[in-house]
Amino acid sequence: MLKLKNVAKFYYNKGLITSGFSKINLEFKIGEFVAITGASGSGKSTLLNVLSGLDSYEEGEMYINGEETSHYTEKDFEEYRRKYVSNIFQNFNLVNSYTVYQNIELVLLLNGYNKKEVKDKIIELLKKVDMYKFKNTKVSKLSGGQKQRVAIARALAKETPIIIADEPTGSLDSNSASKIIQLLSYLAKDKLVIIVTHNFEQVEKYVTRKIIMNDGKVLEDVTLTKVNNSKKDIVCNDFKTISNINKIRLGIRNAFNIKTKFLLILAVFLFLIFAISSEYSFNKNDEYLESIDGYNYYFDSNPKRIIAKKENKTEFNELDYQNINNIIGVNNIIKHDTLLDVAFSFGDKNDEYYLYGHVRDVVNIKAEDLSYGRMPSSKNEIVISGNKDYNYFLSDHPEKLLNMEILTRNDYQEINTGEAFKIVGIILEESSNYDFLNYMGNFTFYGNDEFLEYFSAKTIDTYSTIKQIINNKDYNYLIRFSNLVPKGEAYIDETFSDICKDDNCKNEDMQLNINNIYYSSTLNLKITNTYNNTSIKKLLNIDNYEMVGNYIYINDEEYFNLFKDKNYQISIIVNDDTDLYRVNNELNNLGLDTLVIKDTFYSTGTKEIMGLFKDFLMIGLLIALFFITHFIIKLILKSRNTYYAILRILGSSRKVSKHLLTIELLTVSSLSYLIFLGIIMLTQYGVLKLNLTTMIKYLGLKEYIIIYLITTLMSYLISLRYARKLFKDSTMNTIREEV
Ligand code: ADP
Ligand code: MG
C-alpha cells in the first residue's frame, strides 16, 4: 500500500546540499512490522519523515494506495497524515501540561470527534496500553515508559493504517522497552508498523522484516516472516475537521493550562490596557488643561460660564429662569452678570484703607463661613472676604475692619464718592489653593439685591453712551446722581459754556438719551440750577469740586431707573466642563443667543499643531506598545512552539492551529480587560485605594468599548504574527529545534 520508487531526499542548508538518502526502492504492506536499523546518519529518520509526510522528497515517486504524491502540496500532505499516518517519537512529543486523558482527547477532537463520543474510546485505548489508572495524571509526572505508552495510545486513537516510530525505545530502560515493542507488534496485526531502532536484538523476536540502511541507501532488506497479503489496501474513514465549539474548548484550556504562562500573558495585557487608557486620559486631561488655561481681557474667565441673551431681546422672566434651571448640568444663574467682569474700589473716610475687588450676591455665602460679625440685613450692609495671608488689611487684626464704613471711589479711584457701606461681617479665606486674585490681595464684597443693583447700574452707566439734546443740539456730558436734585430736574456745571452761553441755560429742556448693547431709554428733564466750585457745597453737599465737578447731576431714583439692570443678559454656570456644550445647545434650543466664555479665550495658536503632534505621538505609542507586547508574548510563547508542532503532527491544519492560538490569546486578553474593569470599579467604590482619578474621569462607555476593541485587535494581530512565525519553519524543523 505504501511504495517508494527511486526516491531521494536532499537537504538545502545555507547553500550546502546534503543527501538525506538516495534512490530508495521499497514497498510496505498492511500487517508488516518493519524494523529499520543502520549507523547513525545513514538516513533512517529522514526516510521515516518522508514516509510520514512530515518532510518532502525531491526525486522519485512515493505512492499511497497507488496514488502518486510527488505533486502534493503542504495541504495535501496534511490530509495524507491525517488519513494514513500516526507517529511515535523517541522524545514522545506529548503535551506535558495536559493530563494523559487530555492528550488523547486532543487528537480525537482535532479529528472532528465530539467531546461526548470520545470518552469511551479514550478509556478503551488507555486500558489497551495499561495506562487507565493514570488517566488524570499530568504527562510531565510520568516515567519514560509510561509516556511512550500514552504516545502509542494516542497513535492508535487516530485509527490510521500506518504507525511510524523513530527509535521509540531509545530513551527507555530495557524492561519498558520490551513491553513497548510487544505492544507495537500486537498492533501490527492489522496495520503497517515501521520502527527505527539501534537495538535489533530487542525487536528481533517480533518484527516481520528487517531493513539495514547505510549512507543513505538500503543495504539489506530481509523478510523474516511472511505476512498475509490479503489486505492489500486499506479503506480510511473520512475524517472531519474540529468543530468550532471544540476549538474554543481547547483554546480556553490552553489559556489556563500553564499557570506561569497564563499569569505572565495576563500581566502583559493588563499593562497594555492600563498603558492605553492612561495615555488616553492624560492626553484628554492635557487638552482640558490647555482649554481652560486661556483668558479673556473683557470677561471674568470662568471656563464654566456661558453668557446668554434672549433672541427676541426681551427681559428674562421667572419662566425663563425655571426653564434654564431645569437643564441638567446647570449649576446656577447669575442675574447681574455684568458685575462678574468689573471690579470696584472702596475707601474709608480717613483715607487709611483702600479695598479693591468684585461685588457678589450674598446668597453665595453662609453665616457659618463668617470669621467675624454677621450677615448683611439691609442694602448698605456688606460682608467682605479676602485671603488672610495675602491680604494686607486682613493679615493683622482684621477685626479692625468690622463695622467700618467704606465708600465707593470715583472712576479714577482717587476719591470717595457716592454711597457708604458698612462692613458687618468678615470672611478669612484659607490660602490652601493658590489663586492669582487672592494673591493680589483682592476682596470680594457680598451684599443683597439692592446692593448689586446699585453696582450694576454704575457698570451699565460706564458701558453706555450718554447724550443730551438741548435746543436740537447734541452734548456728551457724564451724569451723576444726588438725592438733593428733585425729580424731573438737572443741575449742570456753569462752566459748560457751550450750553450755558450768557448764563442762559437755566430752564432749558434737556432730553437725556441712554444707549447700550441691551437697551435705549430716554428721560426728559429741565435744567433748573447751575453750580460752581463754591455753590456745589450748598446745592449738592459736595466738598471736592475738583474731583466731581464737570457733571450733570440728576435725581438718584431717576438715575437708577435709567441704568437699572433689566436682566437682558445673564450668565449660566455649569456643574462640569463636560456639560458645557450640551448645556449650551439646550440654551440655544430655548431661544437664547449664547457665548461660551471658554471659546473667547486667547490661545497661542500652537495648540492645533500640538494637537496634531499628540495624535502622531498617540499612534506611535500604540505601535510601540504593540511591538513591546508582541515581543514579550513571543518570549512567553516560545515554550508553546512544541505544542503547536505536536498539533501538526497530530494532523491539525495551519488554520486550526492559528485559531487555537487566537482563541487562547483572546481569552487571556478579555480576562485582563475584565480585571481592568474590576480594578476601576473597586477604585470607584473606594475598595481599592488607587490613584486613578484622572483616568476614570475621562473614560466613558465609548472609551471602554474602544479600549476593549484595541486590546482585542492587538491580541489578534499578535496571534497572527506569531502563527506566521510558527509556520515559517517546517514541522520537522520546529520539532528538531525543540528536541
Ligand atoms: P539517522 O536517523 O539514520 O541517524 P538522519 O536521517 O538523521 O540519519 O540523517 C541522514 C543524513 O541527513 C545525515 O547525513 C544528516 O547529517 C543529514 N541531515 C539530517 N537532517 C538534516 C537537516 N535538517 N539538515 C541538513 N542535513 C540533515
Ligand atoms: Mg535518527
Side-chain angles (χ1 to χ4, degrees):
M1 68 162 296
L2 185 60
K3 189 173 154 187
L4 299 180
K5 202 174 149 193
N6 286 331
V7 175
K9 161 79 191 165
F10 304 106
Y11 290 107
Y12 302 92
N13 232 340
K14 288 164 193 148
L16 255 148
I17 301 176
T18 9
S19 168
F21 58 78
S22 52
K23 294 233 182 292
I24 298 261
N25 288 291
L26 286 168
E27 189 168 355
F28 302 101
K29 288 179 217 119
I30 293 293
E32 277 189 301
F33 184 9
V34 186
I36 302 177
T37 65
S40 183
S42 57
K44 305 182 296 291
S45 298
T46 309
L47 177 62
L48 288 199
N49 291 341
V50 168
L51 290 173
S52 308
L54 287 167
D55 250 350
S56 54
Y57 58 93
E58 279 72 33
E59 277 176 15
E61 188 64 72
M62 178 166 89
Y63 300 90
I64 179 76
N65 279 343
E67 187 188 336
E68 294 180 355
T69 63
S70 57
H71 62 275
Y72 270 21
T73 60
E74 190 194 301
K75 256 188 111 166
D76 293 330
F77 270 115
E78 266 170 19
E79 196 180 315
Y80 167 84
R81 285 208 306 276
R82 292 179 62 167
K83 262 173 140 171
Y84 298 108
V85 187
S86 296
N87 285 89
I88 295 168
F89 300 85
Q90 181 178 349
N91 65 332
F92 324 118
N93 279 325
L94 294 169
V95 182
N96 280 322
S97 57
Y98 280 12
T99 63
V100 168
Y101 183 94
Q102 287 171 337
N103 263 281
I104 296 164
E105 187 190 43
L106 178 64
V107 67
L108 291 173
L109 294 182
L110 285 174
N111 285 285
Y113 288 86
N114 66 44
K115 206 171 153 70
K116 273 192 211 124
E117 71 187 347
V118 299
K119 199 175 170 206
D120 291 341
K121 197 174 159 83
I122 296 169
I123 290 170
E124 188 199 312
L125 286 166
L126 287 176
K127 281 182 176 158
K128 207 175 211 169
V129 298
D130 197 18
M131 283 299 289
Y132 178 67
K133 56 179 182 289
F134 294 102
K135 77 177 171 33
N136 290 324
T137 309
K138 271 208 175 176
V139 163
S140 55
K141 299 217 167 72
L142 299 178
S143 73
Q146 288 169 331
K147 281 182 188 170
Q148 203 57 296
R149 273 186 276 157
V150 176
I152 290 170
R154 186 181 65 181
L156 292 176
K158 256 173 82 181
E159 291 183 16
T160 55
I162 306 169
I163 293 180
I164 291 177
D166 193 350
E167 305 198 32
T169 57
S171 52
L172 302 183
D173 60 84
S174 61
N175 196 18
S176 323
S178 83
K179 275 188 191 155
I180 294 294
I181 298 299
Q182 277 176 44
L183 191 56
L184 287 174
S185 82
Y186 168 72
L187 300 174
K189 298 274 176 290
D190 55 353
K191 287 182 192 291
L192 165 62
V193 178
I194 306 172
I195 71 165
V196 161
T197 179
H198 268 118
N199 190 344
F200 185 70
E201 292 92 76
Q202 204 174 54
V203 302
E204 205 170 4
K205 278 198 284 181
Y206 306 100
V207 292
T208 65
R209 183 172 168 189
K210 178 187 183 184
I211 294 172
I212 303 174
M213 285 191 72
N214 188 32
D215 199 15
K217 291 192 178 64
V218 175
L219 195 68
E220 210 183 301
D221 181 359
V222 245
T223 302
L224 305 172
T225 319
K226 223 167 160 53
V227 297
N228 185 357
N229 264 0
S230 64
K231 274 210 264 171
K232 212 174 164 210
D233 284 0
I234 224 156
V235 187
C236 299
N237 295 335
D238 240 358
F239 60 85
K240 294 172 285 176
T241 34
I242 180 168
S243 64
N244 284 331
I245 180 81
N246 283 333
K247 269 190 218 164
I248 292 171
R249 264 202 194 108
L250 280 178
I252 292 176
R253 175 186 292 172
N254 293 344
F256 300 105
N257 198 247
I258 303 169
K259 276 194 193 66
T260 36
K261 179 210 67 172
F262 163 68
L263 290 175
L264 282 171
I265 297 181
L266 193 77
V268 172
F269 277 119
L270 263 179
F271 158 78
L272 176 76
I273 295 169
F274 271 99
I276 294 172
S277 42
S278 61
E279 165 61 19
Y280 174 83
S281 314
F282 283 108
N283 225 353
K284 279 276 161 202
N285 197 38
D286 271 3
E287 262 172 39
Y288 164 69
L289 290 178
E290 259 166 38
S291 78
I292 60 162
D293 193 28
Y295 57 90
N296 180 303
Y297 291 114
Y298 306 106
F299 299 108
D300 175 46
S301 299
N302 178 353
K304 295 181 183 176
R305 177 179 171 196
I306 301 170
I307 297 180
K309 276 187 272 182
K310 286 169 80 170
E311 272 165 12
N312 57 16
K313 299 198 163 60
T314 57
E315 279 185 65
F316 281 92
N317 54 40
E318 276 314 308
L319 185 68
D320 295 324
Y321 293 137
Q322 248 176 46
N323 287 337
I324 294 168
N325 270 321
N326 283 342
I327 298 175
I328 294 162
V330 168
N331 185 294
N332 63 313
I333 299 173
I334 297 174
K335 292 178 188 173
H336 302 288
D337 77 334
T338 36
L339 291 178
L340 291 177
D341 307 318
V342 284
F344 297 92
S345 32
F346 298 83
D348 71 314
K349 280 190 183 110
N350 306 325
D351 258 351
E352 285 173 21
Y353 290 86
Y354 166 66
L355 315 179
Y356 177 84
H358 288 84
V359 298
R360 294 285 184 265
D361 198 331
V362 75
V363 297
N364 290 306
I365 55 166
K366 293 185 287 295
E368 55 261 39
D369 300 333
L370 295 174
S371 313
Y372 299 97
R374 57 172 174 82
M375 297 289 275
S377 59
S378 72
K379 173 193 171 187
N380 289 319
E381 293 185 345
I382 57 169
V383 166
I384 61 167
S385 169
N387 190 291
K388 65 173 187 229
D389 295 324
Y390 301 131
N391 200 303
Y392 176 75
F393 297 115
L394 293 177
S395 54
D396 193 23
H397 293 293
E399 69 278 6
K400 278 200 285 188
L401 284 164
L402 202 59
N403 296 320
M404 181 180 284
E405 290 232 310
I406 55 172
L407 302 104
T408 55
R409 290 168 79 96
N410 74 344
D411 295 343
Y412 311 102
Q413 295 167 7
E414 295 155 323
I415 195 158
N416 301 325
T417 59
E419 302 213 348
F421 300 93
K422 189 174 165 188
I423 300 171
V424 297
I426 299 170
I427 294 174
L428 298 180
E429 293 161 24
E430 298 290 331
S431 53
S432 57
N433 40 357
Y434 176 83
D435 179 333
F436 184 67
L437 290 178
N438 276 336
Y439 184 72
M440 295 293 285
N442 281 12
F443 283 92
T444 309
F445 306 96
Y446 292 99
N448 63 15
D449 259 358
E450 280 178 273
F451 166 84
L452 293 177
E453 272 166 27
Y454 172 83
F455 285 97
S456 69
K458 281 186 68 103
T459 309
I460 291 171
D461 179 347
T462 315
Y463 291 149
S464 296
T465 313
I466 298 161
K467 196 170 79 178
Q468 298 88 28
I469 305 172
I470 303 164
N471 277 331
N472 292 323
K473 277 179 77 182
D474 289 2
Y475 302 92
N476 290 94
Y477 290 104
L478 294 175
I479 52 177
R480 294 246 143 204
F481 58 90
S482 165
N483 55 2
L484 297 177
V485 181
K487 278 189 184 172
E489 298 184 18
Y491 297 178
I492 67 171
D493 194 319
E494 65 180 37
T495 63
F496 293 171
S497 50
D498 50 344
I499 305 178
C500 298
K501 240 177 271 153
D502 314 321
D503 199 18
N504 211 355
C505 50
K506 263 193 213 169
N507 295 320
E508 286 285 359
D509 284 331
M510 174 175 83
Q511 195 188 69
L512 196 58
N513 286 330
I514 307 298
N515 222 319
N516 56 48
I517 53 170
Y518 312 117
Y519 64 89
S520 324
S521 65
T522 305
L523 184 66
N524 288 311
L525 300 169
K526 197 179 258 312
I527 301 170
T528 56
N529 256 318
T530 57
Y531 62 86
N532 57 31
N533 59 351
T534 49
S535 65
I536 194 168
K537 172 76 185 161
K538 202 182 94 205
L539 276 172
L540 296 163
N541 193 25
I542 290 171
D543 298 318
N544 40 359
Y545 172 80
E546 297 77 20
M547 294 296 175
V548 294
N550 291 314
Y551 289 104
I552 292 173
Y553 279 83
I554 67 170
N555 174 267
D556 58 345
E557 241 178 82
E558 282 180 335
Y559 173 89
F560 283 106
N561 258 330
L562 212 50
F563 294 107
K564 190 172 175 178
D565 184 346
K566 300 215 174 61
N567 268 330
Y568 290 107
Q569 177 190 299
I570 57 169
S571 278
I572 291 112
I573 308 293
V574 298
N575 279 326
D576 200 274
D577 313 88
T578 52
D579 296 332
L580 193 60
Y581 291 97
R582 184 184 46 77
V583 169
N584 185 50
N585 265 340
E586 295 193 35
L587 291 172
N588 293 339
N589 292 343
L590 285 178
L592 304 180
D593 280 334
T594 54
L595 173 69
V596 176
I597 283 292
K598 209 172 86 169
D599 293 344
T600 71
F601 287 178
Y602 293 87
S603 84
T604 46
T606 54
K607 235 185 237 175
E608 284 71 25
I609 298 164
M610 284 301 291
L612 204 68
F613 180 64
K614 270 197 184 134
D615 287 346
F616 275 119
L617 221 65
M618 180 88 187
I619 292 167
L621 186 104
L622 279 180
I623 293 171
L625 274 176
F626 172 77
F627 282 106
I628 293 169
T629 320
H630 175 255
F631 178 72
I632 301 174
I633 288 182
K634 203 172 86 182
L635 284 183
I636 300 171
L637 284 182
K638 207 161 162 43
S639 61
R640 304 292 287 157
N641 286 3
T642 330
Y643 177 79
Y644 286 98
I646 291 171
L647 286 189
R648 296 195 73 195
I649 290 165
L650 297 182
S652 151
S653 67
R654 180 187 279 238
K655 212 168 95 189
V656 169
S657 303
K658 207 167 72 186
H659 288 172
L660 289 180
L661 180 63
T662 306
I663 294 166
E664 175 177 347
L665 285 186
L666 286 186
T667 305
V668 186
S669 69
S670 298
L671 201 73
S672 303
Y673 183 77
L674 286 179
I675 292 175
F676 162 76
L677 284 188
I679 291 174
I680 296 278
M681 256 164 70
L682 290 179
T683 312
Q684 268 174 329
Y685 291 122
V687 182
L688 282 175
K689 300 265 177 293
L690 294 176
N691 189 12
L692 299 176
T693 339
T694 314
M695 205 158 99
I696 291 168
K697 186 174 165 192
Y698 293 101
L699 297 182
L701 182 66
K702 192 182 91 199
E703 283 74 20
Y704 282 118
I705 292 172
I706 290 174
I707 292 170
Y708 180 69
L709 291 180
I710 291 179
T711 318
T712 308
L713 183 72
M714 280 215 185
S715 60
Y716 179 66
L717 291 178
I718 288 170
S719 76
L720 285 195
R721 263 184 82 94
Y722 185 73
R724 217 175 55 209
K725 187 205 166 291
L726 205 60
F727 291 108
K728 217 169 64 200
D729 300 332
S730 80
T731 314
M732 282 322 295
N733 280 345
T734 315
I735 296 173
R736 275 187 208 111
E737 244 174 54
E738 300 308 317
V739 168

